[in-house]
Amino acid sequence: MMLAKLYLNAEVYIGQAKYQDCADVLAKLDGAYSLHTTPNGTKFSAFQELFLADNHKCTEEIIWAIEQDGVNVQSYGVTNYLIFASTGGKMDTNEAGISSGWGGLRTTPEFYQKFSTSDARNLFYTKGHQAEIDEVGTFTHGYAFTKFRNVQSDGVIPNQTVTVDEKTGEEKRANPGFVNTDFPVFRYADALLMKAECAARGADVDGLAALNAVRKRAGLGEVASYELAEVL
């Protein structure tokens, strides 16, 4: 993937188009990787499972990921930042699988509007929020996103601290302060979209089939043709 990305941007780097070279390198991934289309559990779509606490199971699509583990690989960056910072206000921290929200990250209206309600990638929190970000410091200005979560595909929150009330015997569970969700750096879906871009730029590769495979997994209909701007 690294070599393919260098070829994809070669025209910018060295002034020479290498889109066919990019497509040829990407072809080597076919057969070794595929889209994750069948959910491991019943609570989330196959797409969202790529961004959950047990996404290490999605090895058919995730080519390379930065590992995160709430016990052994703790960090305030990577997915810990993405999950905590995109949760705030009246959002349910249990749904995110974390101890608290930082209330920071939101999306712009332009980004949100790219995803229809039937699109599996439409993972936003809009209740009580306005689309426009008039005040950057106000969390309810702009829609939050729920793509990344520290919840497993079976709905279980990993690494919860369990305490037992000495008087009642009642179990109390506290969500963790660090997440288990790995950060996917390269995915096969990315490779397919790169193929579509290469085709639109003149490479001999079936970009339409690649694009439609990504659209189908998102729950969208196939298209008969496309323009470069639609991929970018």
Side-chain angles (χ1 to χ4, degrees):
M1 282 292 285
M2 285 294 294
L3 179 59
K5 285 187 177 292
L6 288 173
Y7 281 140
L8 185 67
N9 293 286
E11 193 168 17
V12 175
Y13 297 151
I14 61 175
Q16 297 178 31
K18 299 282 186 179
Y19 300 114
Q20 188 60 55
D21 292 308
C22 178
D24 292 343
V25 170
L26 292 172
K28 297 178 181 180
L29 298 174
D30 297 337
Y33 294 95
S34 61
L35 291 179
H36 177 62
T37 57
T38 303
N40 294 316
T42 59
K43 296 181 178 296
F44 301 95
S45 68
F47 175 77
Q48 179 142 36
E49 286 189 344
L50 293 163
F51 310 98
L52 298 181
D54 56 350
N55 58 351
H56 61 276
K57 296 177 180 179
C58 304
T59 54
E60 74 272 41
E61 176 166 347
I62 297 178
I63 299 170
W64 179 49
I66 298 175
E67 183 180 359
Q68 295 292 284
D69 184 288
V71 175
N72 300 305
V73 188
Q74 297 180 349
S75 167
Y76 286 107
V78 200
T79 49
N80 213 73
Y81 169 72
L82 290 174
I83 296 171
F84 275 80
S86 62
T87 305
K90 295 183 179 180
M91 295 176 70
D92 188 349
T93 54
N94 284 316
E95 290 188 2
I98 54 177
S99 56
S100 63
W102 298 345
L105 301 178
R106 288 96 70 205
T107 60
T108 62
E110 293 78 9
F111 183 77
Y112 168 78
Q113 290 164 5
K114 291 182 180 294
F115 302 93
S116 67
T117 55
S118 60
D119 194 324
R121 301 166 297 182
N122 187 320
L123 298 169
F124 302 96
Y125 184 89
T126 62
K127 187 177 181 180
H129 286 238
Q130 64 178 48
E132 296 290 339
I133 304 177
D134 296 325
E135 295 290 339
V136 174
T138 302
F139 184 66
T140 54
H141 285 199
Y143 294 146
F145 57 89
T146 58
K147 177 179 175 180
F148 289 89
R149 300 188 187 197
N150 186 44
V151 180
Q152 296 173 173
S153 55
D154 59 3
V156 173
I157 299 172
N159 304 327
Q160 279 189 324
T161 302
V162 180
T163 58
V164 179
D165 188 296
E166 293 182 357
K167 294 182 179 180
T168 65
E170 179 185 0
E171 286 190 351
K172 296 183 179 180
R173 298 177 180 272
N175 293 342
F178 294 95
V179 304
N180 270 33
T181 310
D182 296 340
F183 180 74
V185 179
F186 296 140
R187 293 188 292 119
Y188 187 65
D190 184 13
L192 292 176
L193 293 176
M194 288 169 67
K195 280 186 180 183
E197 179 178 348
C198 288
R201 295 185 185 275
D204 182 16
V205 60
D206 193 347
L208 182 61
L211 177 63
N212 277 329
V214 175
R215 288 180 59 86
K216 182 179 180 180
R217 199 265 299 278
L220 303 175
E222 294 187 351
V223 294
S225 62
Y226 67 95
E227 300 293 332
L228 176 62
E230 296 175 73
V231 180
L232 300 179

